[in-house]
Amino acid sequence: MRRDVFQAIADPTRRAIILLIAAQSMTPNALAEHFDISRQAVSKHLRILTECELVKQEYTGREIYYQLEVNKMKEIDHWLKQYKKIWESRFNQLDDVLLTLKKDKK
């Protein structure tokens, strides 16, 4: 069963992995040094992120480096932007109401 990309980023460890490899490609061993979980557990998270196409593998010799799949992250960002516009509009409306209440109070 293929996971939804939002299921993949719902886990805090996977979000932390994404944050780390956004800065630079890393091996599972290098990633595991940042967590209090086993390398196997990190590999499981990487497998899920790879299945969801959020990260991609690059082989360098015998090492596997994981790097962020920027285009997939752009898809997430595009989806979130529609909600950002809605919330910005609602916050602007709230600002207007609060200003009106403040003026009426004087």
Coordinates of all heavy atoms in Angstrom, one line a residue, residues 12-94:
P12 N 7.0 13.1 13.3 CA 8.1 14.1 13.6 C 9.5 13.7 13.3 O 10.3 14.5 12.9 CB 7.9 14.3 15.1 CG 7.0 13.2 15.6 CD 6.3 12.7 14.5
T13 N 9.8 12.4 13.4 CA 11.1 11.9 13.0 C 11.3 12.1 11.5 O 12.4 12.6 11.0 CB 11.3 10.4 13.4 OG1 11.1 10.3 14.8 CG2 12.7 10.0 13.0
R14 N 10.3 11.8 10.7 CA 10.5 12.0 9.2 C 10.6 13.5 8.9 O 11.4 13.8 8.0 CB 9.3 11.3 8.5 CG 9.4 9.8 8.6 CD 8.5 9.1 7.6 NE 7.2 9.1 8.0 CZ 6.6 8.1 8.7 NH1 7.3 7.1 9.1 NH2 5.3 8.2 9.0
R15 N 9.9 14.3 9.6 CA 10.0 15.8 9.3 C 11.4 16.2 9.7 O 12.0 17.0 9.0 CB 9.0 16.6 10.1 CG 7.6 16.4 9.5 CD 6.6 17.5 10.1 NE 6.6 17.5 11.6 CZ 5.8 16.8 12.3 NH1 4.9 16.1 11.8 NH2 5.8 17.0 13.6
A16 N 12.0 15.7 10.8 CA 13.4 16.0 11.2 C 14.4 15.5 10.1 O 15.3 16.2 9.8 CB 13.7 15.5 12.6
I17 N 14.1 14.3 9.6 CA 15.0 13.8 8.5 C 15.0 14.7 7.3 O 16.0 15.1 6.7 CB 14.6 12.4 8.2 CG1 15.0 11.4 9.3 CG2 15.3 11.9 6.9 CD1 14.5 10.0 9.1
I18 N 13.8 15.2 6.9 CA 13.6 16.1 5.8 C 14.4 17.3 6.0 O 15.1 17.8 5.2 CB 12.1 16.3 5.5 CG1 11.5 15.1 4.9 CG2 12.0 17.5 4.6 CD1 10.0 15.2 4.8
L19 N 14.3 17.9 7.3 CA 15.0 19.1 7.6 C 16.5 18.9 7.5 O 17.2 19.8 6.9 CB 14.6 19.5 9.0 CG 15.2 20.9 9.5 CD1 14.7 22.0 8.6 CD2 14.8 21.1 10.9
L20 N 17.0 17.8 7.9 CA 18.5 17.5 7.9 C 19.0 17.4 6.4 O 20.0 18.0 6.1 CB 18.8 16.3 8.7 CG 18.8 16.4 10.2 CD1 18.8 15.0 10.8 CD2 19.9 17.3 10.7
I21 N 18.2 16.6 5.6 CA 18.7 16.4 4.3 C 18.4 17.6 3.3 O 18.9 17.6 2.2 CB 18.3 15.1 3.7 CG1 16.8 15.0 3.5 CG2 18.8 13.9 4.5 CD1 16.3 13.8 2.8
A22 N 17.6 18.5 3.8 CA 17.4 19.7 3.0 C 18.6 20.5 2.9 O 18.9 21.2 1.9 CB 16.2 20.5 3.6
A23 N 19.5 20.5 3.9 CA 20.7 21.2 4.0 C 21.8 20.5 3.2 O 22.6 21.1 2.5 CB 21.2 21.4 5.4
Q24 N 21.8 19.2 3.2 CA 22.9 18.4 2.5 C 22.5 16.9 2.4 O 21.7 16.4 3.3 CB 24.2 18.5 3.2 CG 24.3 17.9 4.5 CD 25.7 18.0 5.2 OE1 26.4 18.9 4.9 NE2 26.1 17.0 5.9
S25 N 22.9 16.3 1.4 CA 22.7 14.8 1.3 C 23.4 14.1 2.4 O 24.5 14.5 2.9 CB 23.2 14.3 0.0 OG 22.6 15.0 -1.1
M26 N 22.7 13.1 2.9 CA 23.3 12.3 4.1 C 23.0 10.8 3.9 O 22.1 10.4 3.3 CB 22.7 12.8 5.4 CG 22.9 14.3 5.7 SD 22.1 14.8 7.2 CE 23.3 14.2 8.4
T27 N 23.9 10.0 4.5 CA 23.8 8.6 4.5 C 22.9 8.2 5.7 O 22.7 9.0 6.6 CB 25.1 7.9 4.7 OG1 25.7 8.3 6.0 CG2 26.1 8.3 3.6
P28 N 22.3 7.0 5.7 CA 21.5 6.6 6.9 C 22.3 6.6 8.2 O 21.8 7.0 9.2 CB 21.1 5.2 6.5 CG 21.1 5.2 5.0 CD 22.2 6.1 4.6
N29 N 23.6 6.3 8.1 CA 24.4 6.3 9.3 C 24.6 7.7 9.8 O 24.5 8.0 11.0 CB 25.8 5.7 9.1 CG 25.7 4.2 9.0 OD1 24.9 3.6 9.6 ND2 26.7 3.6 8.3
A30 N 24.8 8.6 9.0 CA 25.0 10.0 9.4 C 23.7 10.6 9.9 O 23.7 11.3 10.9 CB 25.5 10.9 8.2
L31 N 22.6 10.2 9.3 CA 21.3 10.6 9.9 C 21.0 10.0 11.2 O 20.5 10.7 12.1 CB 20.2 10.2 8.9 CG 20.0 11.1 7.6 CD1 19.2 10.4 6.6 CD2 19.4 12.4 8.0
A32 N 21.4 8.8 11.4 CA 21.1 8.1 12.7 C 21.8 8.8 13.9 O 21.3 8.7 15.0 CB 21.5 6.6 12.6
E33 N 22.9 9.4 13.6 CA 23.7 10.1 14.7 C 22.9 11.2 15.3 O 23.2 11.7 16.4 CB 25.0 10.6 14.1 CG 26.0 9.6 13.7 CD 27.2 10.1 13.1 OE1 27.4 11.3 13.0 OE2 28.1 9.3 12.6
H34 N 21.9 11.7 14.6 CA 21.1 12.8 15.1 C 19.8 12.4 15.9 O 19.1 13.3 16.3 CB 20.6 13.7 13.9 CG 21.7 14.4 13.2 ND1 22.2 15.6 13.5 CD2 22.5 14.0 12.1 CE1 23.2 15.9 12.7 NE2 23.4 15.0 11.9
F35 N 19.6 11.1 16.0 CA 18.4 10.6 16.7 C 18.8 9.6 17.7 O 19.8 9.0 17.7 CB 17.5 10.0 15.6 CG 17.0 10.9 14.6 CD1 17.7 10.9 13.3 CD2 16.0 11.8 14.8 CE1 17.3 11.8 12.3 CE2 15.6 12.7 13.8 CZ 16.3 12.7 12.6
D36 N 17.9 9.4 18.7 CA 18.0 8.3 19.7 C 17.3 7.1 19.2 O 16.7 6.4 20.1 CB 17.5 8.8 21.0 CG 18.3 9.9 21.6 OD1 19.5 9.9 21.4 OD2 17.8 10.8 22.3
I37 N 17.4 6.8 18.0 CA 16.8 5.5 17.5 C 17.8 4.8 16.7 O 18.9 5.4 16.3 CB 15.5 5.8 16.6 CG1 15.9 6.8 15.4 CG2 14.4 6.5 17.4 CD1 14.7 7.0 14.4
S38 N 17.6 3.5 16.4 CA 18.5 2.7 15.7 C 18.7 3.1 14.2 O 17.8 3.8 13.6 CB 18.1 1.2 15.7 OG 16.9 1.1 15.0
R39 N 19.8 2.7 13.6 CA 20.0 3.0 12.2 C 18.9 2.3 11.4 O 18.4 2.8 10.4 CB 21.3 2.5 11.7 CG 21.7 2.8 10.3 CD 22.7 1.9 9.7 NE 22.9 2.1 8.3 CZ 22.1 1.6 7.4 NH1 21.0 0.9 7.7 NH2 22.3 1.8 6.1
Q40 N 18.4 1.1 11.8 CA 17.4 0.4 11.1 C 16.1 1.2 11.2 O 15.3 1.2 10.2 CB 17.1 -1.0 11.7 CG 18.3 -2.0 11.5 CD 19.5 -1.7 12.4 OE1 19.4 -1.1 13.4 NE2 20.6 -2.2 11.9
A41 N 15.8 1.8 12.3 CA 14.6 2.7 12.4 C 14.7 3.9 11.4 O 13.7 4.2 10.8 CB 14.4 3.1 13.8
V42 N 15.9 4.5 11.4 CA 16.1 5.6 10.4 C 15.9 5.1 9.0 O 15.2 5.7 8.2 CB 17.5 6.2 10.6 CG1 17.8 7.1 9.4 CG2 17.6 6.9 11.9
S43 N 16.4 3.9 8.7 CA 16.2 3.3 7.3 C 14.7 3.1 7.0 O 14.3 3.3 5.9 CB 17.0 2.0 7.2 OG 18.4 2.3 7.2
K44 N 14.0 2.7 8.0 CA 12.5 2.5 7.8 C 11.9 3.8 7.5 O 11.0 3.9 6.5 CB 11.9 1.9 9.1 CG 10.4 1.6 8.9 CD 9.8 1.0 10.2 CE 8.3 0.9 10.1 NZ 7.7 0.5 11.3
H45 N 12.2 4.9 8.2 CA 11.7 6.2 7.9 C 12.1 6.6 6.5 O 11.3 7.2 5.7 CB 12.1 7.2 8.9 CG 11.5 7.1 10.2 ND1 10.1 7.2 10.4 CD2 12.0 6.8 11.5 CE1 9.8 7.0 11.7 NE2 10.9 6.8 12.4
L46 N 13.3 6.4 6.1 CA 13.8 6.7 4.8 C 13.1 6.0 3.7 O 12.8 6.5 2.6 CB 15.3 6.5 4.7 CG 16.2 7.5 5.4 CD1 17.6 7.0 5.5 CD2 16.1 8.9 4.8
R47 N 12.8 4.7 4.0 CA 12.0 3.9 3.0 C 10.7 4.5 2.7 O 10.2 4.6 1.6 CB 11.9 2.5 3.5 CG 11.3 1.5 2.5 CD 11.4 0.0 2.8 NE 11.1 -0.2 4.3 CZ 12.0 -0.6 5.2 NH1 13.3 -0.7 4.8 NH2 11.7 -0.8 6.4
I48 N 10.0 5.0 3.8 CA 8.7 5.6 3.7 C 8.8 6.9 2.9 O 8.0 7.2 2.0 CB 8.0 5.8 5.0 CG1 7.7 4.4 5.7 CG2 6.8 6.7 5.0 CD1 7.3 4.5 7.1
L49 N 9.8 7.7 3.2 CA 10.0 9.0 2.5 C 10.3 8.7 1.0 O 9.9 9.5 0.2 CB 11.1 9.8 3.2 CG 10.7 10.3 4.6 CD1 12.0 10.9 5.3 CD2 9.7 11.4 4.5
T50 N 11.1 7.7 0.8 CA 11.4 7.3 -0.6 C 10.2 6.9 -1.4 O 9.9 7.3 -2.5 CB 12.5 6.3 -0.6 OG1 13.6 6.7 0.1 CG2 12.9 6.0 -2.1
E51 N 9.4 6.0 -0.7 CA 8.1 5.5 -1.3 C 7.2 6.7 -1.7 O 6.5 6.7 -2.7 CB 7.3 4.6 -0.4 CG 7.9 3.3 -0.2 CD 7.1 2.5 0.9 OE1 6.1 3.0 1.4 OE2 7.6 1.4 1.2
C52 N 7.2 7.7 -0.9 CA 6.3 8.9 -1.1 C 7.0 9.9 -2.0 O 6.5 11.0 -2.3 CB 5.9 9.5 0.2 SG 4.9 8.5 1.2
E53 N 8.2 9.6 -2.5 CA 9.0 10.4 -3.4 C 9.4 11.8 -2.8 O 9.6 12.8 -3.5 CB 8.3 10.6 -4.7 CG 8.0 9.3 -5.4 CD 7.1 9.5 -6.7 OE1 6.6 10.6 -6.9 OE2 7.0 8.5 -7.4
L54 N 9.5 11.8 -1.5 CA 10.0 13.0 -0.8 C 11.5 13.1 -0.8 O 12.1 14.2 -0.7 CB 9.4 13.1 0.6 CG 7.9 13.4 0.7 CD1 7.4 13.2 2.1 CD2 7.7 14.8 0.2
V55 N 12.1 11.9 -0.8 CA 13.6 11.9 -0.9 C 14.0 10.9 -2.0 O 13.2 10.1 -2.4 CB 14.2 11.4 0.4 CG1 13.9 12.4 1.6 CG2 13.9 10.0 0.8
K56 N 15.2 11.1 -2.5 CA 15.7 10.2 -3.5 C 17.1 9.7 -3.1 O 17.8 10.4 -2.3 CB 15.7 10.8 -4.9 CG 16.6 12.1 -5.0 CD 16.4 12.7 -6.4 CE 17.2 14.0 -6.5 NZ 17.0 14.6 -7.8
Q57 N 17.4 8.6 -3.6 CA 18.7 8.0 -3.3 C 19.7 8.3 -4.4 O 19.4 8.3 -5.6 CB 18.6 6.4 -3.2 CG 17.6 6.0 -2.1 CD 17.4 4.5 -2.2 OE1 17.6 3.9 -3.2 NE2 16.9 3.9 -1.1
E58 N 21.0 8.4 -3.9 CA 22.1 8.6 -4.9 C 23.2 7.7 -4.4 O 23.6 7.8 -3.3 CB 22.5 10.0 -5.0 CG 23.6 10.2 -6.1 CD 23.9 11.7 -6.2 OE1 23.0 12.5 -6.4 OE2 25.1 12.0 -6.1
Y59 N 23.6 6.8 -5.3 CA 24.7 5.9 -4.9 C 26.1 6.5 -5.2 O 26.3 7.0 -6.3 CB 24.6 4.6 -5.6 CG 23.4 3.8 -5.2 CD1 22.1 4.0 -5.8 CD2 23.5 2.8 -4.2 CE1 21.0 3.3 -5.3 CE2 22.4 2.1 -3.8 CZ 21.2 2.3 -4.4 OH 20.1 1.6 -3.9
T60 N 26.9 6.6 -4.2 CA 28.3 7.0 -4.4 C 29.2 5.9 -3.8 O 29.3 5.8 -2.6 CB 28.5 8.3 -3.6 OG1 27.6 9.3 -4.1 CG2 30.0 8.8 -3.9
G61 N 29.8 5.1 -4.7 CA 30.5 3.9 -4.2 C 29.6 3.0 -3.6 O 28.6 2.6 -4.1
R62 N 29.9 2.6 -2.3 CA 29.1 1.7 -1.6 C 28.1 2.4 -0.7 O 27.3 1.8 0.0 CB 29.9 0.7 -0.8 CG 30.7 -0.2 -1.7 CD 31.6 -1.2 -1.0 NE 31.7 -1.1 0.5 CZ 32.5 -1.9 1.2 NH1 33.1 -2.8 0.6 NH2 32.6 -1.7 2.5
E63 N 28.2 3.7 -0.7 CA 27.3 4.5 0.2 C 26.0 5.0 -0.5 O 26.1 5.2 -1.7 CB 28.0 5.7 0.7 CG 29.2 5.5 1.6 CD 28.8 5.1 3.0 OE1 27.7 5.3 3.4 OE2 29.7 4.5 3.7
I64 N 25.0 5.0 0.2 CA 23.7 5.6 -0.4 C 23.5 6.9 0.3 O 23.4 7.0 1.6 CB 22.5 4.6 -0.1 CG1 22.8 3.3 -0.7 CG2 21.2 5.3 -0.7 CD1 21.7 2.3 -0.4
Y65 N 23.4 7.9 -0.5 CA 23.1 9.3 0.1 C 21.6 9.6 -0.2 O 21.1 9.3 -1.3 CB 24.0 10.3 -0.6 CG 25.4 10.3 0.0 CD1 26.3 9.4 -0.5 CD2 25.8 11.2 1.0 CE1 27.6 9.4 0.0 CE2 27.0 11.1 1.6 CZ 28.0 10.2 1.0 OH 29.2 10.2 1.6
Y66 N 21.0 10.2 0.7 CA 19.6 10.6 0.6 C 19.5 12.1 0.4 O 20.2 12.8 1.2 CB 18.7 10.1 1.8 CG 18.5 8.6 1.7 CD1 19.4 7.8 2.3 CD2 17.4 8.1 1.1 CE1 19.2 6.4 2.3 CE2 17.2 6.8 1.1 CZ 18.1 5.9 1.6 OH 17.9 4.6 1.6
Q67 N 18.8 12.5 -0.5 CA 18.6 14.0 -0.7 C 17.1 14.3 -0.9 O 16.4 13.5 -1.3 CB 19.5 14.5 -1.9 CG 19.2 13.8 -3.2 CD 20.2 14.3 -4.2 OE1 20.7 15.4 -4.2 NE2 20.5 13.4 -5.1
L68 N 16.8 15.5 -0.7 CA 15.4 16.0 -0.8 C 15.0 16.0 -2.2 O 15.7 16.5 -3.1 CB 15.3 17.4 -0.1 CG 13.9 17.9 0.1 CD1 13.2 17.0 1.1 CD2 14.0 19.3 0.7
E69 N 13.8 15.6 -2.5 CA 13.2 15.7 -3.8 C 12.4 17.0 -3.8 O 11.3 17.1 -3.4 CB 12.3 14.5 -4.0 CG 11.6 14.5 -5.4 CD 12.7 14.5 -6.5 OE1 13.4 13.5 -6.7 OE2 12.7 15.5 -7.3
V70 N 13.1 18.1 -4.3 CA 12.5 19.4 -4.3 C 11.2 19.6 -5.0 O 10.3 20.2 -4.4 CB 13.6 20.4 -4.9 CG1 13.0 21.8 -4.8 CG2 14.9 20.3 -4.1
N71 N 11.0 18.9 -6.1 CA 9.7 19.0 -6.8 C 8.6 18.5 -6.0 O 7.5 19.1 -6.1 CB 9.8 18.3 -8.2 CG 10.7 19.1 -9.1 OD1 10.8 20.3 -9.1 ND2 11.3 18.4 -10.0
K72 N 8.8 17.4 -5.3 CA 7.7 16.9 -4.4 C 7.3 17.9 -3.3 O 6.2 18.1 -3.0 CB 8.1 15.6 -3.9 CG 6.9 14.8 -3.4 CD 6.0 14.4 -4.5 CE 4.9 13.4 -4.0 NZ 4.1 12.9 -5.1
M73 N 8.4 18.5 -2.7 CA 8.2 19.5 -1.7 C 7.4 20.7 -2.3 O 6.6 21.3 -1.6 CB 9.5 19.9 -1.1 CG 10.2 18.8 -0.3 SD 9.3 18.1 1.0 CE 9.3 19.4 2.2
K74 N 7.7 21.1 -3.5 CA 7.0 22.2 -4.1 C 5.5 21.8 -4.3 O 4.6 22.7 -4.1 CB 7.6 22.5 -5.5 CG 8.9 23.2 -5.4 CD 9.4 23.5 -6.8 CE 10.8 24.2 -6.8 NZ 11.3 24.4 -8.1
E75 N 5.2 20.6 -4.6 CA 3.8 20.2 -4.6 C 3.1 20.4 -3.3 O 1.9 20.8 -3.3 CB 3.7 18.7 -5.1 CG 4.0 18.4 -6.5 CD 3.9 16.9 -6.8 OE1 3.2 16.2 -6.2 OE2 4.7 16.5 -7.7
I76 N 3.7 20.0 -2.2 CA 3.2 20.2 -0.9 C 3.0 21.7 -0.6 O 1.9 22.1 -0.1 CB 4.1 19.6 0.2 CG1 4.1 18.0 0.0 CG2 3.6 19.9 1.6 CD1 5.2 17.4 0.8
D77 N 4.0 22.5 -0.9 CA 3.9 23.9 -0.7 C 2.8 24.5 -1.5 O 2.0 25.3 -1.0 CB 5.2 24.6 -1.2 CG 5.2 26.0 -0.9 OD1 4.9 26.5 0.2 OD2 5.6 26.8 -1.8
H78 N 2.6 24.1 -2.8 CA 1.5 24.6 -3.6 C 0.1 24.2 -3.0 O -0.8 25.1 -3.0 CB 1.6 24.0 -5.0 CG 0.5 24.4 -5.9 ND1 0.5 25.7 -6.5 CD2 -0.6 23.8 -6.4 CE1 -0.6 25.8 -7.2 NE2 -1.2 24.6 -7.2
W79 N 0.0 23.0 -2.5 CA -1.2 22.6 -1.8 C -1.5 23.5 -0.6 O -2.6 23.9 -0.3 CB -1.2 21.1 -1.5 CG -2.5 20.6 -0.9 CD1 -3.5 20.2 -1.7 CD2 -2.9 20.5 0.4 NE1 -4.5 19.8 -0.8 CE2 -4.1 19.9 0.5 CE3 -2.2 20.7 1.6 CZ2 -4.8 19.7 1.6 CZ3 -2.9 20.5 2.8 CH2 -4.2 20.0 2.8
L80 N -0.5 23.7 0.2 CA -0.6 24.5 1.4 C -0.9 26.0 1.2 O -1.6 26.6 2.0 CB 0.6 24.4 2.3 CG 0.8 23.0 2.9 CD1 2.2 23.0 3.6 CD2 -0.3 22.7 3.9
K81 N -0.5 26.5 0.0 CA -0.7 27.9 -0.3 C -2.1 28.3 -0.3 O -2.5 29.4 0.1 CB 0.0 28.3 -1.6 CG 1.5 28.6 -1.4 CD 2.1 29.0 -2.7 CE 3.6 29.3 -2.5 NZ 4.3 29.6 -3.7
Q82 N -3.0 27.4 -0.8 CA -4.4 27.7 -0.9 C -5.0 28.0 0.5 O -5.8 28.8 0.7 CB -5.2 26.6 -1.6 CG -5.1 25.3 -0.9 CD -5.8 24.2 -1.8 OE1 -6.6 24.5 -2.6 NE2 -5.3 23.0 -1.6
Y83 N -4.5 27.2 1.5 CA -5.0 27.4 2.9 C -4.3 28.6 3.5 O -5.0 29.3 4.4 CB -4.7 26.1 3.7 CG -5.5 25.0 3.2 CD1 -4.9 24.0 2.3 CD2 -6.9 24.9 3.4 CE1 -5.7 23.0 1.8 CE2 -7.6 23.9 2.9 CZ -7.0 22.9 2.1 OH -7.8 21.9 1.5
K84 N -3.1 28.9 3.1 CA -2.5 30.1 3.6 C -3.3 31.4 3.3 O -3.5 32.2 4.1 CB -1.1 30.2 3.1 CG -0.3 31.4 3.6 CD 1.1 31.4 3.1 CE 1.9 32.6 3.6 NZ 3.2 32.7 3.0
K85 N -3.8 31.4 2.0 CA -4.6 32.5 1.6 C -5.8 32.7 2.4 O -6.2 33.8 2.8 CB -4.9 32.4 0.1 CG -3.7 32.6 -0.8 CD -4.1 32.4 -2.3 CE -2.9 32.5 -3.2 NZ -3.3 32.2 -4.6
I86 N -6.5 31.5 2.6 CA -7.7 31.6 3.4 C -7.4 32.1 4.8 O -8.2 32.9 5.3 CB -8.3 30.1 3.5 CG1 -8.8 29.7 2.1 CG2 -9.4 30.1 4.5 CD1 -9.2 28.3 2.0
W87 N -6.4 31.6 5.5 CA -6.1 32.0 6.8 C -5.6 33.5 6.9 O -6.0 34.2 7.8 CB -5.0 31.1 7.5 CG -5.7 29.8 7.9 CD1 -5.6 28.6 7.3 CD2 -6.6 29.7 9.0 NE1 -6.4 27.7 8.0 CE2 -7.0 28.4 9.1 CE3 -7.0 30.6 10.0 CZ2 -7.8 27.9 10.1 CZ3 -7.9 30.1 11.0 CH2 -8.3 28.8 11.0
E88 N -4.9 33.9 5.9 CA -4.5 35.3 5.9 C -5.7 36.2 5.8 O -5.8 37.2 6.4 CB -3.5 35.6 4.7 CG -2.2 35.1 5.0 CD -1.2 35.3 3.8 OE1 -1.7 35.6 2.7 OE2 0.0 35.1 4.0
S89 N -6.7 35.8 4.9 CA -7.9 36.6 4.8 C -8.7 36.6 6.1 O -9.2 37.7 6.5 CB -8.8 35.9 3.7 OG -10.0 36.5 3.7
R90 N -8.8 35.5 6.8 CA -9.5 35.4 8.1 C -8.8 36.3 9.2 O -9.4 36.9 10.0 CB -9.6 34.0 8.5 CG -10.6 33.2 7.7 CD -10.8 31.8 8.2 NE -11.8 31.2 7.3 CZ -12.1 29.9 7.4 NH1 -11.6 29.2 8.4 NH2 -13.0 29.4 6.6
F91 N -7.4 36.2 9.2 CA -6.7 37.0 10.1 C -6.9 38.5 9.9 O -7.0 39.3 10.8 CB -5.2 36.7 10.2 CG -4.9 35.4 10.9 CD1 -4.2 34.4 10.4 CD2 -5.4 35.3 12.2 CE1 -4.0 33.2 11.1 CE2 -5.1 34.1 13.0 CZ -4.4 33.1 12.4
N92 N -6.9 38.9 8.6 CA -7.2 40.3 8.2 C -8.6 40.7 8.7 O -8.8 41.8 9.2 CB -7.0 40.5 6.7 CG -5.6 40.5 6.3 OD1 -4.7 40.7 7.1 ND2 -5.3 40.1 5.1
Q93 N -9.6 39.9 8.5 CA -10.9 40.2 9.0 C -10.9 40.3 10.5 O -11.6 41.2 11.0 CB -11.9 39.1 8.5 CG -12.1 39.0 7.1 CD -13.0 37.8 6.6 OE1 -13.2 36.9 7.4 NE2 -13.4 37.8 5.4
L94 N -10.2 39.4 11.2 CA -10.1 39.5 12.6 C -9.5 40.8 13.1 O -9.9 41.5 14.0 CB -9.3 38.3 13.2 CG -9.2 38.3 14.7 CD1 -10.5 38.2 15.4 CD2 -8.3 37.1 15.1

